[in-house]
Amino acid sequence: MEQTITKTRPKNSGTKPLFENPILERLSRTHIAVPITIYLVTSTLFGWYAFAYTEMSALWITFLFFAGITIFTLVEYAVHRGVFHMETDTPTKAKIQYTFHGIHHEYPKDKTRLAMPPAAAVFVASALFGVLFLLLGEASYAFFPGFLVGYSGYLFVHFIVHAYAPPKNFFKWLWINHSVHHYKSHEKNYGVSSPLWDHVFGTYMK
């Protein structure tokens, strides 16, 4: 049966298995601290390498680092809109969409599925760095850490939005922004860590 985000009512508790194989099912889940720790440690090591073993100036490294964070917010928006919310006009696409993201919309409070599992994340991150190195050369050692910090920030915001009540601080704004996406319109507010690109591309909703 074809399952899409728009046809699925969110449940405020519980979870649902994705795979019959217990190993695959276990690998599809993670505690949020695991990927965040991996990304921040990796980012620190790459940043250290950029300062210690490349000819780049501190100013250029800093610029590339913040460029990485900024570009991440655009990638976050594009992937969320174009991949996680793809048109499900065939059963295969519907299955892929549900596995990647639809289950999260059905069970938004499931804390074990708020981040890409480490096994997949390491593979994707390695492939990404390989592409960045081919495109940017040694500049990738400064850009990639920023990208990973941006991703870590996204994971942190995504977790507090789904795991806790609205906080009485700056994060309340982001909490409300993402809640609009889940409970008002799945076609609005694709940005989680920042609503910047929703404003740029006209998908922002208050």
Side-chain angles (χ1 to χ4, degrees), residues 1 15-16 29 49 64 77-78 97 106-107 113 120 134 170-172 192 197:
M1 178 178 179
T15 186
K16 180 180 180 180
R29 302 174 183 270
Y49 186 91
L64 289 168
Y77 176 90
Q97 188 279 330
E106 186 175 4
Y107 295 91
R113 286 210 171 100
L134 290 175
F170 164 78
F171 290 106
K172 182 178 181 179
V192 177
W197 301 107

Side-chain angles (χ1 to χ4, degrees), residues 12-35:
N12 290 319
S13 63
T15 186
K16 180 180 180 180
L18 270 176
F19 303 100
E20 294 183 5
N21 185 298
I23 296 177
L24 288 178
E25 177 61 23
R26 181 67 187 89
L27 290 174
S28 73
R29 302 174 183 270
T30 184
H31 189 284
I32 196 69
V34 176

